Amino acid sequence: MEFVQMVSRTEFDFDALLAQRDWWVVVLDQDQRIRASNEVGQSLLGLDGKDLDGRRLDDIVKLGHLTSLMSKGVSFRSQPASVSTGKLICHYVPEVQNGELRGGVLAIDRVVRAHDDLSYIELHEIVRTLGPIMDLAYEGTIIVDEEGTIVLVNQAMADIFGVRTQDMIGRHILEAYPNSKLSRLPIVMKTGKAEVGWPHFLNGREIIACRYPLISNGRAIGALGKVLIQDVHDRVRLAKGAPLQEPTPGSSPRVAKGGDFKYDINSIIGHSKVMRSLKETLLRVAERGSNVLLVGESGTGKELFAHAIHAASKRRNGPFIKMNCAAIPEHLLESELFGYAEGAFTGAKKGGQIGKFELAHNGTIFLDEISDMSVTMQAKLLRILQERELTPLGSSQARKVDVRIIAATNVKLEEAVREGKFREDLYYRLNVMALSIPPLRDRTEDLYFIVNHFLDSFNAEFGLEIQGLEPSAWEALKAYHYPGNIRELRNIIESAFNVVTGAVIRREHLPYHIRQLAAPPREPSPCTEAEGFLADVGRRPLQEILEGLEKQILDKALQQVAGNKLQAAGLLGISRPGFYKKLQKYGMV
């Protein structure tokens, strides 16, 4: 197991890390003083065995530019440092507590002789060359090697992605963080062309990014990504001549706090035609500011869409407040939504309480299961929509609120209106723009991508390395109709993770009601598919026909290895980076 993976999985369990005998492990404080270390350093560097605690690392071993990186909270992997006996291979993960840099853990592999061929990027050359435009303490920075593996990332960049540095370092850039499959660093390496000042929408923020290929001896040995502006609001302030907020000199780097929303448009997994169209519509709707009604069966991801709408809207820097109308008893719902004044009822808090709508002022409120709201409460909600004001319970003073409402339901509100269970006027106020989210059974072509996402998620959660599903398990999943939609699929994969014994999920690991399903009808034979492409000769350009065939071959390879990209690349006899490039070309990542 790699050192950075060990740190991530043990959550900085120093006892477990110091027990390792493959590396010299050193626990450092924020001043680079040694808090603890194991005994490997005695044989590795010929140390005299004296107590090292409290001594500065520089007094023990000179790591040059790597010491500077560590002091700035930069995480790096497999980086060489020269000593008298040859070269050391160093790994470092910073320790962050409550937003403050507290030090970190350094691991040094055994000596690599000077004449050995190192395939790593020597960071001191990059830092020396690009130093004038890099502030590694505060500007989001990431570096990948020629295979796309992350060899350097700082906390500022990890904050933007909403993850920790140790969760990214050592992983492929297309698998290192949520929605990382959109990364353009592999493309920059392939083209050899820098992309400077490109806008990029990430985690609900429009950032301004730069990407540079790293060239050595005429070939790309990696790529560097750097965030210039972390939010469009910073860009607006710059345009008005106002300076960006700078950190206080001498202060420790802090972990930025995220917004109120957890997901954005990139979090919605789906490449089917219906999902591509729905996401395009979502982005257009998000910009307009009108109220939105989300309609879909239970488990289709309505809350995910609500987050994404808010994240893509002009209100994304405002609060995102969610409320399940079915989870709160009717006699409490009014006080929860509109708040109450002091003394409004027995047991009321001193000073009263602010309701959800006031908390959502200048932002968005998500009302889930709106159909379960009583007719009485519907009338009060209608007033907010019409007058943009509310009156807390027990108060006579109206308060103005500016809130966008996103409502969700899993029933047909038109029928509820006809039955007198839902106010018609409120229905038309909410249904300014309706987005219908399809059930999973109507977009089965997305099944592979969703399952692959859950595999990555549960591998990280359970500390496993499940590579995929065997063909018979995959066939069983494709034959199921998923009445519980995405939520049920997630539970199915989690259930399999609890009983799996090897590196692949087999049919017997799936719940009983799924593994008993018959295999779906056989797909057309390769000969039939090939004849279909031959029939296009004369109707479509050759390049277009070949691209269609290549796309089907890629898809077939993924199906045969249950979605494992590394195995699929080997099946086709191409490198993993080459396989990723082809997936990106056809929008299959």
Side-chain angles (χ1 to χ4, degrees):
M1 183 184 299
E2 282 198 2
F3 165 73
V4 289
Q5 294 174 338
M6 175 71 72
V7 174
S8 180
R9 292 179 183 178
T10 61
E11 296 290 339
F12 286 96
D13 183 341
F14 295 140
D15 289 338
L17 292 171
L18 292 170
Q20 298 301 309
R21 291 295 177 263
D22 294 328
W23 321 290
W24 181 36
V25 179
V26 185
V27 181
L28 301 169
D29 65 14
Q30 63 267 36
D31 297 321
Q32 300 297 299
R33 294 187 181 277
I34 298 175
R35 293 158 57 186
S37 63
N38 62 9
E39 299 175 355
V40 177
Q42 297 179 23
S43 59
L44 180 66
L45 297 174
L47 300 179
D48 57 12
K50 294 180 180 179
D51 187 10
L52 303 179
D53 293 1
R55 298 178 62 183
R56 291 187 61 86
L57 180 66
D58 255 356
D59 295 337
I60 309 301
V61 58
K62 303 294 185 182
L63 299 181
H65 62 284
L66 297 181
T67 302
S68 174
L69 295 180
M70 289 188 288
S71 68
K72 296 175 181 178
V74 177
S75 183
F76 54 80
R77 167 185 180 267
S78 301
Q79 294 308 316
S82 297
V83 294
S84 58
T85 54
K87 286 189 177 180
L88 303 176
I89 301 301
C90 305
H91 321 265
Y92 180 75
V93 177
E95 180 188 7
V96 179
Q97 295 181 3
N98 300 321
E100 296 286 348
L101 182 63
R102 297 296 187 185
V105 184
L106 171 71
I108 299 180
D109 282 358
R110 298 188 180 278
V111 174
V112 177
R113 292 179 179 82
H115 63 266
D116 287 348
D117 180 26
L118 294 175
S119 59
Y120 310 117
I121 300 177
E122 299 205 31
L123 291 186
H124 66 282
E125 289 297 326
I126 298 172
V127 174
R128 182 181 62 80
T129 305
L130 301 178
I133 64 169
M134 293 174 66
D135 184 347
L136 289 172
Y138 300 105
E139 293 181 346
T141 306
I142 188 168
I143 296 175
V144 300
D145 63 18
E146 58 186 321
E147 294 296 322
T149 301
I150 298 173
V151 295
L152 179 147
V153 62
N154 64 355
Q155 188 63 52
M157 181 64 83
D159 289 339
I160 295 171
F161 294 136
V163 297
R164 305 171 303 175
T165 57
Q166 63 262 36
D167 296 330
M168 298 179 64
I169 198 75
R171 300 185 65 183
H172 193 278
I173 183 63
L174 298 181
E175 299 176 341
Y177 55 89
N179 311 312
S180 62
K181 294 175 181 177
L182 300 175
S183 173
R184 291 185 57 82
L185 288 180
I187 297 175
V188 168
M189 272 195 289
K190 178 181 179 181
T191 62
K193 296 180 180 178
E195 297 176 350
V196 181
W198 280 44
H200 184 60
F201 192 77
L202 183 67
N203 287 345
R205 296 181 292 180
E206 185 181 357
I207 64 173
I208 305 299
C210 295
R211 308 174 189 92
Y212 304 92
L214 303 175
I215 309 297
S216 177
N217 297 322
R219 69 180 184 90
I221 61 170
L224 178 146
K226 180 172 177 287
V227 174
L228 293 180
I229 300 178
Q230 297 189 14
D231 195 283
V232 68
H233 282 248
D234 287 343
R235 186 172 63 179
V236 172
R237 288 196 293 272
L238 283 175
K240 293 181 178 179
L244 295 178
Q245 183 178 358
E246 293 290 343
T248 304
S251 63
S252 300
R254 297 188 60 85
V255 179
K257 298 186 182 299
D260 291 328
F261 57 92
K262 297 179 181 178
Y263 314 102
D264 60 20
I265 188 68
N266 300 316
S267 305
I268 300 174
I269 301 172
H271 302 281
S272 59
K273 183 177 180 180
V274 63
M275 289 304 293
R276 290 199 303 269
S277 175
L278 185 57
K279 287 192 278 188
E280 290 173 2
T281 303
L282 184 152
L283 290 175
R284 290 195 297 270
V285 170
E287 293 179 350
R288 305 295 192 268
S290 299
N291 297 324
V292 180
L293 180 63
L294 300 175
V295 181
E297 296 179 7
S298 178
T300 52
K302 296 184 288 295
E303 183 177 335
L304 174 63
F305 274 78
H307 279 269
I309 292 171
H310 175 74
S313 73
K314 297 175 182 177
R315 297 174 179 265
R316 60 179 168 269
N317 291 290
F320 178 84
I321 304 297
K322 56 185 179 180
M323 183 75 180
N324 189 315
C325 300
I328 306 296
E330 182 181 349
H331 65 283
L332 296 178
L333 187 59
E334 181 177 1
S335 62
E336 284 291 321
L337 286 176
F338 309 133
Y340 58 81
E342 182 175 346
F345 51 83
T346 301
K349 291 181 181 179
K350 185 178 181 179
Q353 177 175 294
I354 296 176
K356 301 293 187 184
F357 270 94
E358 282 193 85
L359 291 175
H361 183 61
N362 290 329
T364 303
I365 187 168
F366 172 52
L367 301 178
D368 198 7
E369 301 192 57
I370 188 72
S371 58
D372 287 345
M373 182 179 286
S374 69
V375 175
T376 302
M377 282 298 302
Q378 291 175 29
K380 297 181 179 181
L381 176 59
L382 181 63
R383 184 193 173 198
I384 292 182
L385 288 167
Q386 292 175 333
E387 307 296 334
R388 296 288 181 180
E389 65 179 25
L390 59 82
T391 303
L393 189 64
S395 173
S396 59
Q397 183 177 2
R399 301 177 183 178
K400 290 288 185 180
V401 289
D402 178 13
V403 177
R404 182 185 199 176
I405 296 177
I406 301 176
T409 180
N410 58 6
V411 304
K412 295 182 179 179
L413 285 185
E414 299 92 331
E415 294 181 3
V417 169
R418 286 195 295 268
E419 296 170 358
K421 297 179 180 179
F422 202 85
R423 292 181 61 109
E424 184 176 19
D425 46 5
L426 177 59
Y427 170 69
Y428 289 120
R429 283 281 185 175
L430 293 174
N431 193 31
V432 175
M433 183 64 211
L435 293 181
S436 181
I437 305 172
L440 183 56
R441 62 181 175 274
D442 289 346
R443 56 183 187 106
T444 54
E445 56 264 58
D446 290 329
L447 188 62
Y448 155 72
F449 299 102
I450 300 171
V451 169
N452 195 51
H453 167 74
F454 288 145
L455 290 177
D456 291 342
S457 176
F458 287 122
N459 271 330
E461 180 177 340
F462 288 96
L464 299 176
E465 295 182 359
I466 303 301
Q467 300 299 312
L469 285 74
E470 70 174 9
S472 63
W474 190 248
E475 290 174 357
L477 287 182
K478 290 192 289 186
Y480 190 55
H481 60 289
Y482 300 100
N485 293 291
I486 309 293
R487 185 181 296 123
E488 183 180 13
L489 176 60
R490 185 185 189 278
N491 290 342
I492 290 169
I493 301 301
E494 183 175 6
S495 173
F497 263 77
N498 278 277
V499 296
V500 66
T501 55
V504 176
I505 293 175
R506 300 191 298 272
R507 194 184 188 103
E508 57 264 31
H509 297 144
L510 300 176
Y512 178 80
H513 65 287
I514 295 179
R515 64 175 181 261
Q516 295 303 310
L517 293 174
R522 293 181 62 84
E523 297 180 1
S525 68
C527 292
T528 304
E529 294 178 359
E531 289 172 0
F533 283 104
L534 291 175
D536 286 333
V537 174
R539 299 177 183 176
R540 294 192 297 163
L542 175 61
Q543 185 62 32
E544 189 175 326
I545 296 173
L546 292 175
E547 288 178 350
L549 179 60
E550 184 176 47
K551 185 176 180 180
Q552 285 206 16
I553 292 172
L554 294 173
D555 185 63
K556 179 68 71 175
L558 285 169
Q559 290 185 29
Q560 287 188 16
V561 295
N564 186 296
K565 297 184 181 70
L566 182 59
Q567 292 181 14
L571 190 66
L572 297 175
I574 59 178
S575 66
R576 185 177 68 170
F579 187 72
Y580 274 115
K581 291 173 183 176
K582 290 183 182 294
L583 292 181
Q584 282 187 317
K585 176 181 178 181
Y586 298 115
M588 297 173 66
V589 293

